[in-house]
Amino acid sequence: RSHAERVAEVCAASQRPEERPNMHQKLLKVLDRRFKSPVRAWPTVLDPKAKGKVTRDQFLLSCSVAGFTGSSTALANDLKLNASSSVRLRDIAPEAIKEVTGFKIGALEQLKDKHGPIIKQTEKTRRLTEEQFKEMCKEARFRGSPQRLFEHLSLPGHDKLSTKTLRVLNELQSDEKALV
């Protein structure tokens, strides 16, 4: 990094929180723009070894790889990370976990198609389009955003949602584990 970038980072880290941009929000915008969701970004670039958590230094490096150009120091401060901290998906995207949990509690068991309830279809895994998923959510009277859920749950790079993903989400106790 250039001297000017290092000076800007130190200055940003020393500003009062209300005076500087929120780097956590900036990171979420980068992940949404590049991966459609922080949930999709997690296994793709932030935790590619699927350990469920990463060290602070691994996380900050991965954020740079993901396209985050803001201050790493300010991001660590925004997320209250110290040198020995671990970072999990729930630390960076609690809203996404909440959205998925709301779906699991309120509509997942009611999702069905011509073959019956999705979570009971174990013989064959199918890939649902966003439109198919939205229609199922509508019929299940899901009150949240089917589009946002699709972005969280769909396969990176494929724009399809596997019915296996929905079954795993239903079976696991921890919604975060189902997402990572």
Side-chain angles (χ1 to χ4, degrees):
R1 292 184 308 216
S2 72
H3 176 71
E5 289 172 323
R6 288 192 308 269
V7 167
E9 183 174 310
V10 169
C11 289
S14 64
Q15 289 177 326
R16 284 180 270 180
E18 65 273 7
E19 294 176 349
R20 64 178 164 77
N22 185 310
M23 290 297 129
H24 181 209
Q25 293 305 314
K26 185 175 180 181
L27 171 66
L28 291 176
K29 286 180 183 174
V30 167
L31 298 178
D32 276 343
R33 186 174 58 250
R34 183 151 180 223
F35 299 95
K36 295 189 179 182
S37 164
V39 176
R40 274 181 156 188
W42 184 258
T44 305
V45 69
L46 299 174
D47 182 22
K49 293 182 180 177
K51 292 183 177 183
K53 64 182 178 179
V54 294
T55 67
R56 181 191 94 149
D57 292 341
Q58 290 169 327
F59 171 72
L60 295 173
L61 178 63
S62 296
C63 289
S64 295
V65 171
F68 177 73
T69 58
S71 164
S72 294
T73 304
L75 176 61
N77 289 341
D78 285 350
L79 293 171
K80 297 175 179 53
L81 303 176
N82 61 43
S84 62
S85 294
S86 292
V87 182
R88 297 175 184 270
L89 176 59
R90 69 173 173 242
D91 299 323
I92 64 164
E95 298 82 15
I97 303 291
K98 187 177 177 181
E99 289 168 354
V100 171
T101 300
F103 167 70
K104 181 177 177 179
I105 292 169
L108 182 56
E109 289 184 358
Q110 282 75 41
L111 280 192
K112 54 185 146 188
D113 62 7
K114 64 183 179 183
H115 304 289
I118 295 294
I119 60 172
K120 300 209 190 260
Q121 297 175 25
T122 57
E123 327 70 59
K124 186 175 180 186
T125 297
R126 293 178 296 114
R127 294 187 177 185
L128 306 172
T129 66
E130 185 173 353
E131 290 309 311
Q132 289 170 318
F133 182 69
K134 283 181 178 179
E135 186 58 34
M136 287 179 188
C137 287
K138 182 179 174 184
E139 289 175 16
R141 296 195 167 126
F142 176 60
R143 296 176 194 233
S145 170
Q147 178 181 350
R148 192 69 182 143
L149 264 175
F150 188 86
E151 290 166 350
H152 292 324
L153 300 173
S154 60
L155 303 168
H158 295 283
D159 290 327
K160 302 271 183 167
L161 174 55
S162 169
T163 54
K164 182 177 182 178
T165 300
L166 297 172
R167 287 194 306 272
V168 168
L169 178 61
N170 183 61
E171 292 165 6
L172 289 178
Q173 294 292 332
S174 167
D175 298 338
E176 182 180 20
K177 285 184 181 178
L179 296 175
V180 297

